[in-house]
Amino acid sequence: MATRGNKVKVFKSLKETRKAEVAKIIGEIPEWATGQILRSCPAKLNHVHDGYLMITKFEVVGGKTGSVAFTSKFLQSEAFKKAEAEQKPIISEFYTRTAGSDAKSALGKIVSSMIPKPTDNCQYICTSDICRNPIVTNHAGFMFEVDPKTLHTVSRYDSAAKDNLYALSSHPLTDPETGETNNVGLDMIPTTKWKVVKYPPKLKSSSLQESLKKGKIIGSHPCRYKVEAPYLHSFGMSKNFVLWIDEPCHFNSAQAIKLVFKGFCQREVMDWYPKRKNQFYIFDKNTHKVVKTEIFSKDPFFFLHILNCYEENNHLIVDLFSMRNIQFMDIQLVTKLRTGNVLKDPDCPRLLRYVIPLNTIEDQIGKFPENKNLVKLNSTGKAVRIGDKIILEPEVISDLKMDFPTWNERFYGKQLRFFWATGAFCASRHQNKIIKFDLHTRKYIIWDAGGHQYVGEPTFIGKPNSALEDDGLIVVTVVNYTETDEKDFVVWLDSKNLKEVGRAYFDCEIPIGIHSVWLSK
């Protein structure tokens, strides 16, 4: 990434682009690729998770005279508006304590500095399957509805105040068959509990507020530690099950109490407990109950993204991008990123597969032999009964260092064959590349940006009415990492072979994005 003598350009605060910059597409993309790409980008920041959210939009017109228009706007969260008014952070963020208070009284200033108010600053744009418009979320359960035409903030929803959900996965999943959307969250009063919520199929005219009112809590289960909240970013869903994993990364309530008179931010009370291992919870979508058998990983791991979760021959298979610790969270400090101090190769995410034999999670677990692999699939993954528990060892799908995957959503919950990913914040040889990976053959191909360029999360656009899983386009935003005369650009790749079919350059600076959604015209 950064090299000595070059001035780093990215990971800095940016201004909105209200007046659209229109760029011609060099090459030709098909007319069916006409639509909008919306991205969530931290654009005023100290840490990537702290960056006040900017929504960027690429309005794409396909065909022989194709063009793309770029605009951007900050999400009007309370955290952002207070920080703008006072020119300093008023509400504590993930890695940043409050720099002051907007309270009028002296007592109010003291209380606000000691007891952090949950921030409604969001980081992740996600599904438009819950309501009429895309939504952006954060880990504290706040959601905003965004108008894709104007990028205006339409409404704000506080899941803690209205649903007693103090944390939510940032990746709600929609069942491709029923159209229902599920999510997993945490209730923390009086003790921490996992909650599963289900939303009905999207109504085109429903606002976020109207849609969430129709959501129902369909399951509840105690967390393994009553006064500690596990870190939660994504979960898995197959045809019959919802799966989530309690990582050995917990927010320490006792530490928060000790720091209450000094003030603190979330990272200061977030601890890594490798001896606790990871616990897998399986929720039956038909009975609305969590299976009783306790399932643990043999070794601890940290992850952000579950790639897929599906059933095969009475086994539940979970593919995820695993890291050996939580260094990923600390390396996202902007001061580190701007010096090129990114994750070292051993700490970067790689793709693992966990296989759970579904017959072993019955009440009669004792009928299965101990210390023998109970997996009956063609996999090197292991599931071993030790006492009344199942201990999992993963199959290493690939040692490639990659994350931020995209796939054909019509195939989610089934046996995916293809996905596309990027090297993310890793100092690996695939750092500036897009990877297409074949899960059947374990082979891959790459598209390579320049060594001084950062590639964002890829976006998959499926060709309409095609039955092929990898028939479509991959869209990538490419940002120059260092100060050069080159412009930032968007590139369209054929999703089958990663050959370039079009690109568009922009004069304005494009912020680095975390997640994206595609809205077809």
Side-chain angles (χ1 to χ4, degrees), residues 145 197 219 237-238 249 303 346 359 395 414 440:
E145 179 184 353
V197 59
M237 184 174 71
S238 68
C249 175
F303 75 97
N359 61 339
E395 174 183 357
K414 303 176 184 178
H440 289 187

Side-chain angles (χ1 to χ4, degrees), residues 431-482:
Q431 174 181 302
N432 308 305
K433 299 174 176 63
I434 295 298
I435 302 161
K436 179 189 179 182
F437 195 91
D438 186 328
L439 287 162
H440 289 187
T441 66
R442 308 293 169 89
K443 295 180 179 180
Y444 64 94
I445 58 175
I446 62 171
W447 177 84
D448 193 354
H452 60 287
Q453 293 174 325
Y454 176 90
V455 293
E457 178 192 60
T459 302
F460 176 79
I461 303 173
K463 184 177 180 179
N465 304 317
S466 176
L468 299 177
E469 185 180 343
D470 63 341
D471 194 4
L473 295 173
I474 293 295
V475 188
V476 184
T477 302
V478 181
V479 177
N480 290 301
Y481 194 87
T482 54

Side-chain angles (χ1 to χ4, degrees), residues 144-157:
F144 289 84
E145 179 184 353
V146 175
D147 184 339
K149 294 182 180 179
T150 63
L151 300 185
H152 290 334
T153 303
V154 177
S155 63
R156 173 183 182 271
Y157 192 89

Side-chain angles (χ1 to χ4, degrees), residues 197-212:
V197 59
K198 181 170 72 174
Y199 305 103
K202 178 183 69 172
L203 297 176
K204 292 184 178 180
S205 60
S206 292
S207 67
L208 177 64
Q209 305 279 353
E210 293 169 336
S211 297
L212 295 183

Side-chain angles (χ1 to χ4, degrees), residues 370-404:
E370 281 197 277
N371 300 312
K372 290 187 177 181
N373 185 16
L374 302 175
V375 173
K376 303 302 180 184
L377 294 181
N378 182 22
S379 171
T380 58
K382 295 180 180 180
V384 178
R385 180 174 82 85
I386 300 179
D388 58 353
K389 298 177 174 59
I390 296 293
I391 307 301
L392 303 178
E393 293 184 52
E395 174 183 357
V396 179
I397 298 293
S398 175
D399 273 320
L400 287 176
K401 303 307 185 286
M402 55 184 170
D403 203 341
F404 296 94

Side-chain angles (χ1 to χ4, degrees), residues 393-434:
E393 293 184 52
E395 174 183 357
V396 179
I397 298 293
S398 175
D399 273 320
L400 287 176
K401 303 307 185 286
M402 55 184 170
D403 203 341
F404 296 94
T406 188
W407 57 86
N408 189 330
E409 292 185 354
R410 293 193 296 113
F411 291 81
Y412 184 84
K414 303 176 184 178
Q415 191 172 359
L416 280 179
R417 177 166 184 177
F418 301 108
F419 70 88
W420 297 261
T422 178
F425 296 109
C426 295
S428 71
R429 62 192 181 95
H430 296 99
Q431 174 181 302
N432 308 305
K433 299 174 176 63
I434 295 298

Side-chain angles (χ1 to χ4, degrees), residues 487-504:
K487 298 179 179 180
D488 298 338
F489 62 93
V490 176
V491 62
W492 288 260
L493 309 172
D494 186 315
S495 55
K496 291 182 179 179
N497 52 31
L498 294 190
K499 290 184 178 179
E500 183 175 332
V501 297
R503 70 167 61 191

